[in-house]
Amino acid sequence: MSSNHGLSYSARKALSVHVGESAGNEIANLIQRMAAQIDELKRSKVNVTPVVPGLARDSYDHVSAAVDSESF
């Protein structure tokens, strides 16, 4: 994906060929909107202090690292 959240021509063409033009455009547009939402969430992200008693700090750090690296 490019910085403007768009799929390359090749990716859009592959979607069109394999799932049809209408469905391919729908999927590409969905991916574009999702990428924009993820970027917005990253920009507006705030650090949260866990307030649940007994929450292990290393567990919290693991979840935080996964979110930062987008490795779900």
Side-chain angles (χ1 to χ4, degrees):
M1 283 189 135
S2 67
S3 62
N4 69 353
H5 311 297
L7 293 176
S8 67
Y9 173 79
S10 296
R12 283 186 174 269
K13 182 68 174 174
L15 280 169
S16 293
V17 167
H18 291 287
V19 299
E21 187 172 346
S22 178
N25 285 335
E26 188 175 337
I27 292 168
N29 291 336
L30 174 65
I31 291 169
Q32 182 177 355
R33 288 192 314 272
M34 289 172 64
Q37 288 177 342
I38 289 168
D39 279 350
E40 180 58 33
L41 288 170
K42 284 181 176 181
R43 279 193 297 276
S44 63
K45 181 179 83 171
V46 295
N47 289 329
V48 177
T49 302
V51 293
V52 178
L55 179 64
R57 181 67 191 171
D58 55 338
S59 295
Y60 176 77
D61 289 341
H62 174 73
V63 171
S64 179
V67 169
D68 287 342
S69 69
E70 297 179 39
S71 61
F72 295 95

